Structure formats: C-alpha cells, structure tokens
Amino acid sequence: MLEYPFTYCLDPQRVKNPYTGETLVVPCGHCTACSMRKSSRYAFQCDCEAKVSKYVVFVTLTYANTYVPRLRAYEAKEQSGGLTKVYDLFDVTTPRNRYDVSLNYLGSAHYHPDLYRELQKKCHLFGDIAYLRKRDVQLFLKTFRDYLPEYEIRYFAAGEYGPDTFRPHFHLLLYINDSELVQASEVCHMSDFPQWTWPKKSSRCVRSDDKISILEYYIRKTWKYGIIDCELITDGTASSYVASYVNGSQPLPSFLTLPATKCFCVHSRFLGRKIFRKEFAQVLSTPVDEFIKGSLEIGNKFRDYTLTYQNYVYYFPRCKGYVDKSSSERMQLYQSYDKACTIFKTTKLIELSRSVADVLYNSLNSDFLKSTTLLHYYGEEKLRLVDTLYDIEHFRYDYKDKVLFIEDWDKIICRIYYQLLCSRLFCTNVKIHRLSPDYYLRKIEEFYSRLDYLHLKDFLDSQQKYFLSDYADADDIVYFYNNTDYEFDNYKNSFAYKVFKSNIKALSKDFIKHKVANDKNQMFVYG
C-alpha cells in the first residue's frame, strides 16, 4: 500500500495543546506500529553513530543461575474474578530491607493460575521467574567507563528476554575511535577470568592462552554475573538486531511487561547526531530544504532521511509557545537567560529557575504585586523577567486560594527551567558565532516558516496520493487533520485503517528474530 497518510499508530490518542487549546491526535507510543517505528529509528541512529566511529563492538551479557534477578509472585488478597487471579510480584534476589518488603515490590499482574505453573516450569528456577533489572546494566556501564576515563566510549544497550525460557540478557553496541582499545593485548588473556564466563560458540574454540583486547578485558572485569561475548562488527548488521527489541512482537507474559520488568534500552546522549553536525555559518546559509532532507550511504545503500527536531534545535532553538508570540515577545524570551544571570548573579540554570519561581510565588497576590514594597524588594526588572518566563495571570488563576503541593511547584520550576535552557542556547550561539540577536532571530523565524511550508506540502502530497488510490474514500479526508474531533471508532472502521492494521501485522511477523520459539510462547500472553 501507499505510505500511510494518517496518524501512524494503531491506537492514537487525543491530547490538548496547552498553548493553543487545540485537541490533537497523536501516536500512543506503545502499539506494534509505534514500536516498529521506534525500532527503525533506533537502528538508524545506531548506523549513523557507526558511520562516525572507527570500530563497533557487539557485546552480549548473560546471567548465571546464581546471579540472575528473580521475582516471585504471591496471590493478592484482592481477587480479579473470572479465570485469572491478581498476583503481587517481588524481587527475591536483592532484599534491600528485610523488614520492609515493599522496597522489593515490582508491581501486580492478572494471570491464570494454570499458566503461572507452566511458566514456572519453563523458567527452571525452582518456582521463581527471571526478569530484566535495568539497574544492573546501568551500573555495568558506569563502572566500565570509570575503568577507562581517558577514552570516549559511546554505547547503545538493550535488555530483552530469550525466546526459549524468557532468560534476561543484554546486548550492547560500543562505539570506539581508539585502535589500542580493540587490538589484542600481550598482557590480557582469557585465562585471567573463570572459564564459566567464556563465550560458548560452536564457530569459535576458546583457549586459556587466547589474547584479548583491553576493551574486552575491562568488560569482563566489570561484568561478573555470567557469560560475556565480545565481537568486533565489520558488516554493520548488529544495529538492526539490537534495536529490534522494541518491535513489540515478542510474546511475553504480563509479569514481564510491567514498568519494572519490561524490555528497555539506554544509550549515550545525542546518539547518531554527530554525522548531521555542520558548521554553524554553513547551516544558516544553507536553504532549509537542503538542510532538512538528504541521504546517507548505509550498508552500500543510500537511505533518505528527514532531520528530526533533536537534530536541528541546536541551530534553531524554538521557545515554548513560539506560534502565539510576536517577534518582540520571542526576543524577550530568547534573551531572558542573560537577563536572569545579571539579576540573580549566577549562571546555574536550576538556581535561576528557583529564584524566578520564588519571585513568582510572592507575586501571587495582586495587591501585593502592586505595592511599592514588592517593587522595591524585587525590582521591576525581576517582575518583567518573571512575566516573560511564566504567565502570571495563568498562575494566579490556577493556584490562588489553593495550597501549592510539591509536585505543582516542581512543574513550575521545570517549566521555567526549560524556557531558560532554550534562552541559554540562543545566547550562547550569539556569543560564540558573533551574531546579531536580531539577525539570529530572523533566521530562526525564516527557518520555521519554511519548515511549516514543507510540512504543509508533504501533507497535501500525501492527500493527493491517497485519493488517487483504489481504496480511497472521500469521507476519510477528516482523518488527515490531527486537530479534528472525529470518532476513533469510525476511524478504525475505515478501509484504510484495516489495510494498515493488516500490513502492520504482517510486517511485525517479519521482525521476529526467533519465530518458531515465539510462536510456542503465544500461550503465555493470554494469562
């Protein structure tokens, strides 16, 4: 079928834009279609990172039975009714406090008792169930990088479950630019580590006198919980394998899909963005069309791309509420960081945010705001800065005569923080590249104006392609607009949605890495 012209999601949701008040239709982020898009995006980021790295090392970390994280399910007092029961899940491997078991609580799930017994047999852990513990790989990465602080090591790490017994394990891609790290060392040997941690591959015979690299030596020194397998990647195929864990196709019991037990990934900041970095002056002089869209050679093939917001925001920061503000209001907001630094005598964002929030809180009462005491104490400059960073009238309306809870205050500080963060980027670029603030603002406005035009052009092109297709329906035009209040039930009954859903189902099967084993595990999904 044609590229899907509507919201690329099987279960879209409605959210409200806090600045315009419009209701928007957005992807859910959890369905199979969203997971496949996320998988494709991660694979592309990994490939882009590999393009700017000399070496890519593929690492697999597994657990021995002694160290594998285990959970145990206890039948909850509250019954769900029907054929399933409610189980409370607890971590039984790391008792943080023997007197407070709630610290080991992982969540609760509905499951059929018969399937639970089958699951226990499948896991072969004497009644326990192994699960992914995110903290283990986070601590591994921290300790490993502490061993090699002088080297830049970037990473993408994914945690997933095995297809046969749901065994948790981790896959990592390490991006290295130093040759000495990946070359075999005369002083590092496999015999330095116990034999039960050596890789078990039929294609490779491991001996105790085998030399290993400095990188592998410290990986093995850091991970002491099971088998480690390190492999230098030359064909660039590992990225799609590691990133495909998010495709949502692997059938898992509900015990292993909770926030504390589900598959996950962690990666270095700005993964894959370095390849898109260009000289600042060159970006400002490049036409928006050429800057936003391009192609990269990946795996002997050219792949077209469109830059995401994360890739162009460094050059063209966009303040909150950008659409509803005039040029003068935007300029005030973009320059607010320098003004705040001058007023509060600090350059730390969090301190500036709290200081602005304090002034905002004390100006809550309108009579107090007008008093000369407040103006004398805070100064008109501080009040104007607060007015720029936060809508005081909105604040009064929401919180006057109400108690401010900690979470409310945190949200206010967070909002001010991100406004100042955007302003700091603007001010920094102006200083470093010696730009006139007016010129830079004009470039930002020209960029987003042209970007809106390109989005509108793509939007109209997708409409035209769709309505020239055989299965198009004239009534479907309402689904093109994400701010239209249409019924989701009608949308899901449309022919285009049904075709899209069937295509996603077929594609998801192709994404499965271990289809035979996963088909056998389908029974555990419906507990």
Side-chain angles (χ1 to χ4, degrees), residues 282-313:
Q282 179 187 354
V283 171
L284 293 185
S285 61
T286 302
V288 177
D289 309 50
E290 297 178 15
F291 173 62
I292 287 294
K293 295 188 177 183
S295 62
L296 284 175
E297 185 180 1
I298 295 177
N300 297 322
K301 293 181 180 178
F302 281 93
R303 174 167 175 175
D304 294 333
Y305 66 84
T306 300
L307 287 185
T308 60
Y309 175 76
Q310 290 77 12
N311 286 321
Y312 59 72
V313 68

Side-chain angles (χ1 to χ4, degrees), residues 354 405-416:
R354 287 171 178 159
F405 296 100
I406 293 176
E407 55 266 27
D408 295 328
W409 194 240
D410 287 344
K411 288 178 183 178
I412 293 169
I413 293 176
C414 185
R415 179 173 174 178
I416 295 171

Side-chain angles (χ1 to χ4, degrees), residues 413-448:
I413 293 176
C414 185
R415 179 173 174 178
I416 295 171
Y417 179 91
Y418 283 113
Q419 294 279 34
L420 287 171
L421 186 64
C422 173
S423 172
R424 185 177 69 174
L425 182 57
F426 179 92
C427 296
T428 302
N429 287 340
V430 165
K431 292 174 183 176
I432 292 178
H433 303 288
R434 298 179 181 180
L435 302 174
S436 161
D438 291 331
Y439 169 78
Y440 190 27
L441 176 60
R442 188 166 64 252
K443 281 295 181 180
I444 292 174
E445 291 177 336
E446 290 174 358
F447 173 82
Y448 285 110

Side-chain angles (χ1 to χ4, degrees), residues 8 20 44 82 144 173 192 194 357 360 368 370 386 420 436 445 451 469 503 512:
Y8 198 93
T20 63
F44 183 60
F144 168 64
L173 291 175
D192 296 336
L360 175 62
F368 187 46
K370 296 176 182 177
V386 168
L420 287 171
S436 161
E445 291 177 336
L451 189 63
S469 63
N503 283 0
I512 298 177

Side-chain angles (χ1 to χ4, degrees), residues 11-139:
D11 188 25
Q13 307 292 315
R14 272 200 182 90
V15 298
K16 187 175 182 180
N17 187 324
Y19 298 100
T20 63
E22 285 185 319
T23 301
L24 304 175
V25 176
V26 298
C28 68
H30 307 292
C31 68
T32 305
C34 290
S35 296
M36 289 174 64
R37 284 192 90 178
K38 190 187 299 183
S39 171
S40 177
R41 186 176 72 247
Y42 277 135
F44 183 60
Q45 286 181 257
C46 290
D47 287 333
C48 290
E49 189 68 34
K51 288 279 287 184
V52 295
S53 304
K54 288 184 179 179
Y55 307 99
V56 181
V57 179
F58 183 40
V59 182
T60 300
L61 306 176
T62 62
Y63 289 100
N65 274 350
T66 307
Y67 301 105
V68 65
R70 306 183 186 196
L71 65 82
R72 193 170 297 163
Y74 297 93
E75 190 175 330
K77 294 181 180 179
E78 179 187 353
Q79 299 296 325
S80 62
L83 299 176
T84 62
K85 293 184 178 180
V86 179
Y87 291 93
D88 289 330
L89 310 180
F90 293 88
D91 183 341
V92 294
T93 49
T94 54
R96 299 177 180 84
N97 187 336
R98 68 180 66 181
Y99 304 108
D100 187 1
V101 295
S102 64
L103 294 176
N104 297 47
Y105 178 69
L106 299 174
S108 61
H110 296 253
Y111 215 62
H112 194 287
D114 293 340
L115 281 182
Y116 175 46
R117 286 188 285 271
E118 289 295 323
L119 181 62
Q120 288 177 309
K121 294 178 184 177
K122 184 180 180 66
C123 292
H124 305 299
L125 290 173
F126 306 100
D128 296 333
I129 299 169
Y131 80 97
L132 275 171
R133 190 163 55 199
K134 189 176 183 179
R135 181 166 174 77
D136 286 350
V137 75
Q138 289 175 322
L139 289 176

